[in-house]
């Protein structure tokens, strides 16, 4: 199946931090793939901007190197690469000084979309926004893209929002949460709102509980400094897991429109109950002789969590009584992100006690092997009477949609949405602030109690206590396998 590609308008996209890790791993490869797919029109330009003084040739070599590592061998083709390079320019710029701004201003064109990607540390957001205005480079319809972490707590997030708002209207600001750009996350909305099947059951009357798991096998890698100041709560829960929870719990918006969507997500965040200390388990990987968190971050006294499991309640009419269990962690047994919706038992079994009923579960697999599976009860084949068995109605998107289907990386979709001027999959300032307002007291409580995370073995499914979080409610986590 060939995907439908609608070209975007012509643009000048300036990537600040163009020689950084995110640009190398995601932004440049993403743009290259969109270009290969024919979505980027003739004449569009990508202008790399960073501190290092380098010539066009050096920047081309950098981009080539990045693509050789992060696109497939089939995509890495010399002729096509050369044509892509024609779109690139580079400007050495000092975010907080004067160097480079006149050159950048001279490059920008008036008749195309102007977008500025701030792939830089949050401390630089303010100076960049200010200089774009000072030098008359940002226009009233320019767009800026900012990356997480969007603040460290409510106070810092508000400060960032104010800094950006001093120069840009909210309609120009695209705050990235790359989970929203994942194909299956968008599919969650399609499943809920493009089918009649699920929505009537989508509430506390029929849903026993919801599990959201984002398990990673990687450790903190080279990001120890950042991660040790953040932990899983700030790095993953405040944004990615919270967004997933919102998409599951939100009311249907009247249109698939940026503000209609974001209004509904905001209502979910505001309906979250404060979390009781007993409903949170923090973990930190530690092993004798093997990978251990404190060694990786170089802080033997670190109390930062690399794992978190929590029980969350959405206090509204639809969800009262249905817990949402969230967990995420690094160096776990396997890499899997999934959402499992576990339905309640039928009110009465006509098959008698002997035939044990297993819950219907709808699993939405975000990665890897994107797909959905619905566990239903059927009759076990054979003459042995009415014996029941639970089986999966399983659908892998790659299989269901045919061989040619490619699941694009989240960044590809998101960058194209910026050019299209569609903010649906980006976080609004009030959403980000509401998420911090919910997270801050939880973290403050750990700090007050000097809470120490429970150790867990790398390659396991997290600390034992996390299992207890569900066991004590008579439930079990789905296996991380
Ligand atoms: C990032 C976090 O936002 O998401 C990382 O900062 C994490 O710590 C990553 O590894 C996970 O993203 P993905 O797309 O690999 O699930």
């Amino acid at each position: 199946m060939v995907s439908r590609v609608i070209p975007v308008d012509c643009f000048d996209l300036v990537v600040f931090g163009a020689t950084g890790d995110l640009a190398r791993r995601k932004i440049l490869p993403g743009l290259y793939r969109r270009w290969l797919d024919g979505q980027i029109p003739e004449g569009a330009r990508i202008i790399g901007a960073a501190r290092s003084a380098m010539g066009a040739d050096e920047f081309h070599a950098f981009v080539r190197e990045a693509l050789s590592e992060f696109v497939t061998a089939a995509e890495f083709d010399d002729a096509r690469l050369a044509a892509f390079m024609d779109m690139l320019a580079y400007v050495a710029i000092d975010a907080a000084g004067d160097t480079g701004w006149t050159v950048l201003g001279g490059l920008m064109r008036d008749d195309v979309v102007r977008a500025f990607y701030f792939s830089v540390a949050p401390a630089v957001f303010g100076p960049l926004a200010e200089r774009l205005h000072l030098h008359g480079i940002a226009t009233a319809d320019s767009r800026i893209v900012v990356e997480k972490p969007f603040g460290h707590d409510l106070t810092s997030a508000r400060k960032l929002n104010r800094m950006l708002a001093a120069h840009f209207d909210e309609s120009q600001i695209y705050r990235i949460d790359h989970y929203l750009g994942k194909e299956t996350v968008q599919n969650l909305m399609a499943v809920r709102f493009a089918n009649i099947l699920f929505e009537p059951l989508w509430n506390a009357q029929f849903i026993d509980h919801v599990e959201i798991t984002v398990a990673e096998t990687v450790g903190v890698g080279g990001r120890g400094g950042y991660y040790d100041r953040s932990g899983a709560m700030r790095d993953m829960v405040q944004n990615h897991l919270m967004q997933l929870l919102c998409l599951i719990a939100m009311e249907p918006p009247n249109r698939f429109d940026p503000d209609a969507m974001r209004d509904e997500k905001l209502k979910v965040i505001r309906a979250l109950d404060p979390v009781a200390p007993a409903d949170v388990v923090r973990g930190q990987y530690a092993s004798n002789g093997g990978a251990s968190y404190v060694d990786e971050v170089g802080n033997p006294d670190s109390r930062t969590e690399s794992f978190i499991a929590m029980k969350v309640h959405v206090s509204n009419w639809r969800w009262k009584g249905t817990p949402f269990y969230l967990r995420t962690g690094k160096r776990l047994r396997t890499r899997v992100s999934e959402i499992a919706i576990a339905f309640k038992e039928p009110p009465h079994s006509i098959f008698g006690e002997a035939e044990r009923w297993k819950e219907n579960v709808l699993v939405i697999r975000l990665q890897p092997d994107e797909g959905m599976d619905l566990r239903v009860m059927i009759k076990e084949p054979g003459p042995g009477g009415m014996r029941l068995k639970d089986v999966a109605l399983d659908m892998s998107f790659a299989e269901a949609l045919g061989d040619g289907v490619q699941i694009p990386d989240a960044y590809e979709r998101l960058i194209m949405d910026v050019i299209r001027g569609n903010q649906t999959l980006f976080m609004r300032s009030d959403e980000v602030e509401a998420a911090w307002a919910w997270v801050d007291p939880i973290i403050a409580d750990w700090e007050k109690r000097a809470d120490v995370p429970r150790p867990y073995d790398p390659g396991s499914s997290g600390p034992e206590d996390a299992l207890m979080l569900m066991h004590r409610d008579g439930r079990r986590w789905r296996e991380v396998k």
Side-chain angles (χ1 to χ4, degrees):
M1 201 185 105
V2 179
S3 55
R4 279 179 290 168
V5 175
I6 303 165
V8 294
D9 289 339
C10 197
F11 61 81
D12 281 344
L13 169 66
V14 181
V15 181
F16 292 105
T19 53
D21 195 48
L22 185 73
R24 214 169 62 82
R25 282 186 303 112
K26 296 289 185 184
I27 304 173
L28 294 165
L31 285 163
Y32 179 62
R33 280 201 213 91
R34 288 299 88 222
W35 181 81
L36 285 183
D37 227 7
Q39 197 164 16
I40 297 190
E42 197 66 44
R45 281 188 323 187
I46 300 161
I47 304 167
R51 220 171 327 168
S52 334
M54 61 163 97
D57 288 350
E58 236 179 306
F59 185 58
H60 285 185
F62 168 82
V63 175
R64 194 186 164 85
E65 176 73 33
L67 298 182
S68 73
E69 199 177 335
F70 295 104
V71 302
T72 62
E75 289 166 332
F76 193 78
D77 166 280
D78 271 330
R80 292 190 290 176
L81 212 60
F84 178 71
M85 295 294 179
D86 284 345
M87 263 186 359
L88 303 181
Y90 180 81
V91 183
I93 214 152
D94 180 1
D98 296 325
T99 320
W101 291 99
T102 320
V103 180
L104 181 63
L107 283 177
M108 306 302 292
R109 295 169 295 175
D110 284 334
D111 51 348
V112 299
V113 172
R114 285 187 186 194
F116 302 95
Y117 199 129
F118 292 11
S119 177
V120 293
V124 190
F125 291 176
L128 279 183
E130 203 177 312
R131 274 172 183 69
L132 283 171
H133 269 272
L134 202 70
H135 295 273
I137 299 173
T139 52
D141 54 3
S142 294
R143 288 141 210 185
I144 59 165
V145 186
V146 292
E147 273 291 334
K148 73 174 269 270
F150 200 84
H152 184 74
D153 52 17
L154 179 58
T155 311
S156 53
R158 275 194 180 137
K159 197 169 150 206
L160 282 178
N161 276 333
R162 272 200 305 268
M163 230 148 44
L164 297 180
H167 303 289
F168 293 93
D169 186 72
E170 182 63 29
S171 62
Q172 298 178 275
I173 306 173
Y174 291 72
R175 293 177 196 78
I176 288 207
D177 181 314
H178 78 281
Y179 265 59
L180 290 178
K182 287 186 190 278
E183 194 70 15
T184 332
V185 175
Q186 296 169 60
N187 240 314
L188 187 56
M189 292 179 268
V191 166
R192 279 198 64 193
F193 304 131
N195 295 289
I196 189 77
L197 209 57
F198 300 109
E199 204 47 31
L201 304 178
W202 213 260
N203 56 54
Q205 194 187 341
F206 297 103
I207 294 180
D208 179 70
H209 67 276
V210 175
E211 271 178 61
I212 303 177
T213 300
V214 178
E216 297 185 277
T217 49
V218 292
V220 292
R223 300 158 73 224
Y226 150 78
Y227 194 91
D228 204 36
R229 273 177 275 115
S230 306
M233 187 68 164
R234 290 187 170 101
D235 185 51
M236 297 293 287
V237 177
Q238 187 271 346
N239 36 79
H240 307 324
L241 276 83
M242 180 85 90
Q243 288 293 324
L244 297 179
L245 187 154
C246 284
L247 296 178
I248 300 164
M250 70 196 266
E251 294 300 317
N254 71 325
R255 274 167 295 127
F256 189 56
D257 148 297
D259 280 327
M261 284 286 296
R262 297 185 297 179
D263 288 346
E264 295 304 338
K265 286 198 289 163
L266 180 62
K267 285 186 210 160
V268 174
I269 304 176
R270 291 192 172 148
L272 293 176
D273 276 350
V275 178
D279 287 344
V280 187
V281 176
R282 301 166 71 227
Q284 192 186 74
Y285 56 88
S287 78
N288 296 325
S292 114
Y293 175 85
V294 288
D295 292 342
E296 279 181 23
V297 300
N299 175 8
D301 301 322
S302 175
R303 289 200 188 131
T304 303
E305 76 285 353
S306 58
F307 173 97
I308 188 164
M310 56 203 300
K311 179 161 82 165
V312 173
H313 292 282
V314 182
S315 244
N316 62 19
W317 195 304
R318 186 189 280 260
W319 293 114
K320 191 75 194 169
T322 295
F324 286 69
Y325 297 93
L326 318 183
R327 70 181 156 162
T328 181
K330 297 214 181 273
R331 286 224 188 274
L332 296 178
R333 184 174 303 143
T334 191
R335 174 173 184 253
V336 59
S337 298
E338 62 168 41
I339 298 166
I341 318 282
F343 291 87
K344 288 190 172 164
E345 275 187 48
H348 167 70
S349 167
I350 65 166
F351 301 110
E353 283 301 304
E355 284 311 314
R356 283 190 53 81
W357 181 84
K358 289 227 184 84
E359 62 195 3
N360 296 135
V361 186
L362 172 67
V363 180
I364 298 156
R365 294 190 301 271
L366 307 181
Q367 61 191 26
D369 184 24
E370 293 84 348
M372 268 172 38
D373 120 23
L374 178 63
R375 297 206 74 87
V376 293
M377 300 299 290
I378 59 160
K379 177 189 170 298
E380 202 172 275
M386 194 54 164
R387 305 183 63 108
L388 302 180
K389 180 181 170 49
D390 77 306
V391 294
L393 294 180
D394 196 346
M395 183 179 86
S396 149
F397 290 157
E399 273 171 35
L401 300 174
D403 283 347
V405 73
Q406 275 190 353
I407 304 219
D409 184 76
Y411 280 87
E412 296 177 40
R413 163 72 197 250
L414 294 174
I415 299 171
M416 291 301 100
D417 276 1
V418 172
I419 307 298
R420 272 191 284 254
N422 185 337
Q423 289 184 305
T424 310
L425 301 177
F426 296 84
M427 291 180 299
R428 209 168 54 190
S429 60
D430 48 3
E431 254 185 287
V432 176
E433 291 184 10
W436 281 121
W438 179 73
V439 159
D440 275 1
I442 304 172
I443 298 178
D445 173 68
W446 304 336
E447 285 169 359
K448 197 174 83 201
R449 291 186 287 112
D451 186 63
V452 179
R454 318 282 183 280
Y456 64 93
D457 289 334
S460 68
S461 52
E464 287 286 310
D465 291 22
L467 300 180
M468 289 312 298
L469 189 70
M470 279 191 88
H471 279 188
R472 62 167 208 238
D473 295 343
R475 302 183 175 109
R476 292 173 73 129
W477 290 103
R478 285 168 55 78
E479 226 179 299
V480 177
K481 60 177 182 198

